Amino acid sequence: MPLAVNLRHLEARNIRLEGSLPVAELDIDPRDEVIRVCHPLEHELEVQRLEDGLLVRGQLHLVLECQCVRCLKPFQHHLELADWACHLPLQGEDHVAVVNDCVDLTPWVREDILLEFPRHPLCKPGCRGLPRASIGKVRSTGDTGRPDVGSPAWAELNKLKF
Ligand SMILES: [Zn+2]
């Protein structure tokens, strides 16, 4: 089920839309290897009919599976839009598409959710990466794919500093 409003239901009063939008419907491609969308989008919205269009207001909540760009630790990022609002014109040049009396809200939700994605996901503010002591531990478990201060990635970063 896409996130859609049936305009016929809106004539008398506002509509409340509550539930979750499956990953496949949300269809977000973060274009970023360190962020994955694997949980449905929780939403609690109220749709109001205005003279010239629709006003949608409410909350959006999406849990992202992220990988810290500094220490590579996987963590969950809770993306919360507590006061999301969107005005959808039904007339004029920029009017939204109405199919069988329904307006699909998904494209607007998708766009605004994407804008809130963390650019450089960090497991905690100011994460300093893997401490030297734990690099040894990581190595001993056979996982050698982690960056340490001597790796080429760090050499590149150090170049940028000067
Ligand atoms: Zn981290």
Side-chain angles (χ1 to χ4, degrees), residues 25-42:
E25 291 287 349
L26 187 60
D27 193 23
I28 279 188
D29 175 12
R31 296 170 193 278
D32 198 335
E33 320 178 319
V34 290
I35 302 175
R36 285 183 303 129
V37 182
C38 355
H39 305 282
L41 171 88
E42 309 288 335

Side-chain angles (χ1 to χ4, degrees), residues 32-105:
D32 198 335
E33 320 178 319
V34 290
I35 302 175
R36 285 183 303 129
V37 182
C38 355
H39 305 282
L41 171 88
E42 309 288 335
H43 58 82
E44 204 180 314
L45 301 171
E46 183 164 294
V47 188
Q48 188 185 345
R49 178 87 202 229
L50 303 178
E51 237 171 74
D52 60 341
L54 304 178
L55 181 64
V56 188
R57 283 182 298 188
Q59 299 179 8
L60 302 171
H61 180 233
L62 181 65
V63 178
L64 303 173
E65 295 292 337
C66 298
Q67 191 181 32
C68 177
V69 291
R70 297 221 181 116
C71 72
L72 303 185
K73 192 171 95 177
F75 68 101
Q76 289 192 331
H77 178 86
H78 288 256
L79 201 158
E80 183 110 45
L81 278 71
D83 288 308
W84 187 66
C86 183
H87 176 248
L88 305 175
L90 290 172
Q91 297 154 16
E93 260 181 51
D94 306 322
H95 73 90
V96 295
V98 180
V99 180
N100 296 331
D101 294 322
C102 289
V103 174
D104 186 3
L105 302 179

Side-chain angles (χ1 to χ4, degrees), residues 110-131:
R110 180 187 297 129
E111 195 177 306
D112 286 352
I113 284 280
L114 255 174
L115 287 175
E116 294 298 317
F117 272 37
R119 285 174 189 257
H120 302 287
L122 292 177
C123 62
K124 56 176 185 253
C127 169
R128 302 172 70 91
L130 285 176

